[in-house]
Amino acid sequence: MPSLKLTYFDLRGRAEPIRLAFLLSDIEYEDDRFSFPQWKEVKPKTPYGSVPTLTVDGEQMAQSGAILRYVGKLAALYPSDAIAALKVDEVMETLVDLNNSTYSYRGSDTEQLKAARKKLVDEDIPRYVGALEKRLETFGGASHAVGNELTVADLVITCTVNSVQCGILDYVPVDVLDQYPRINAIHKAVMDNPKVVEWYKKYPIKKQTPKMD
Ligand SMILES: N[C@@H](CCC(=O)N[C@@H](CS)C(=O)NCC(=O)O)C(=O)O
């Protein structure tokens, strides 16, 4: 196994599915978390001025999706079958689309944020998550996104649900994803895994009440 260092803020964010892939496969890595004030030193040392990065035997690699697929391959959490891999990728890319919508407004104008989040709740969640729920009926088993084995797609779904349910997204009801049974079954299966239970005892998911008006 190469030496592996994952660098990210001390947050779940884009690094968390990668951390869960390492955790569930017992692959040793350095979980290199930095604080917000350290970002100005870290940023210029990354390939694109963004994180996460994964340093593999001293070579720094970027892009969370690429890193997750790589770790998925090391961890046997990414299918070797081409069509199953395509399905995993479809799930991952759909959630990238959703995340792009989630973070589409980053300014400080409350009315603009409210409008962006209203679009997220009224249009983008039904569009992407509603459609994904239907796709999963043919892609996977009762509690797996693709086939009957855990893949990185399950980890991305789980982290997406956690982001909504923890209440960090203002103007997004924490129960907005409750109506999607397959998504919730996948989330539950991952969150009930004993290693994941221990992980979130160590790194508790802070619950907060999102601003709604
Ligand atoms: N496409 C990139 C996006 C990375 C990205 O935007 N990362 C954020 C943190 S989640 C970041 O580094 N933001 C700080 C900045 O851009 O200055 C990926 O998926 O890794």
Side-chain angles (χ1 to χ4, degrees):
M1 195 59 71
S3 84
L4 298 158
K5 180 171 80 166
L6 178 66
T7 299
Y8 196 66
F9 294 97
D10 188 13
L11 299 170
R12 293 191 307 281
R14 284 183 161 96
E16 194 71 355
I18 304 166
R19 294 190 186 114
L20 293 183
F22 280 132
L23 172 79
L24 290 169
S25 55
D26 294 319
I27 293 176
E28 264 184 51
Y29 75 108
E30 184 186 342
D31 188 9
D32 173 33
R33 295 168 182 244
F34 59 85
S35 63
F36 285 111
Q38 287 173 296
W39 175 232
K40 58 180 182 310
E41 291 151 42
V42 175
K43 185 176 172 83
K45 295 184 193 144
T46 67
Y48 304 106
S50 64
V51 282
T53 63
L54 184 71
T55 308
V56 184
D57 280 341
E59 185 178 10
Q60 192 185 33
M61 311 304 289
Q63 294 296 351
S64 58
I67 294 170
L68 183 57
R69 286 175 181 85
Y70 168 72
V71 175
K73 288 171 194 165
L74 295 183
L77 294 173
Y78 187 80
S80 51
D81 175 71
I83 193 77
L86 174 59
K87 290 175 181 173
V88 166
D89 286 350
E90 180 182 315
V91 174
M92 289 173 66
E93 294 300 322
T94 301
L95 293 175
V96 168
D97 284 351
L98 184 74
N99 273 329
N100 288 343
S101 161
T102 306
Y103 298 110
S104 63
Y105 183 70
R106 289 163 182 268
S108 54
D109 183 310
T110 307
E111 290 312 311
Q112 285 187 35
L113 177 64
K114 273 189 194 174
R117 294 286 161 85
K118 183 170 168 26
K119 179 177 176 295
L120 176 69
V121 171
D122 294 349
E123 295 174 30
D124 298 325
I125 289 179
R127 175 179 173 188
Y128 294 116
V129 186
L132 189 57
E133 176 76 21
K134 290 206 184 72
R135 301 290 282 161
L136 297 176
E137 283 171 20
T138 59
F139 281 8
S143 57
H144 291 107
V146 177
N148 285 307
E149 310 250 325
L150 186 78
T151 65
V152 290
D154 301 75
L155 305 181
V156 176
I157 289 172
T158 299
C159 293
T160 302
V161 174
N162 283 338
S163 299
V164 172
Q165 289 185 345
C166 78
I168 201 171
L169 300 173
D170 285 337
Y171 313 108
V172 177
V174 292
D175 61 358
V176 72
L177 299 180
D178 288 5
Q179 61 189 296
Y180 303 108
R182 281 189 176 260
I183 302 274
N184 282 290
I186 291 164
H187 171 258
K188 183 172 172 6
V190 172
M191 293 304 282
D192 284 350
N193 180 295
K195 286 181 190 167
V196 176
V197 170
E198 286 309 304
W199 179 255
Y200 286 118
K201 280 186 194 156
K202 188 169 167 198
Y203 298 104
I205 299 178
K206 213 176 106 204
K207 298 263 181 187
Q208 59 194 77
T209 306
K211 254 190 255 161
M212 293 305 287
D213 48 36

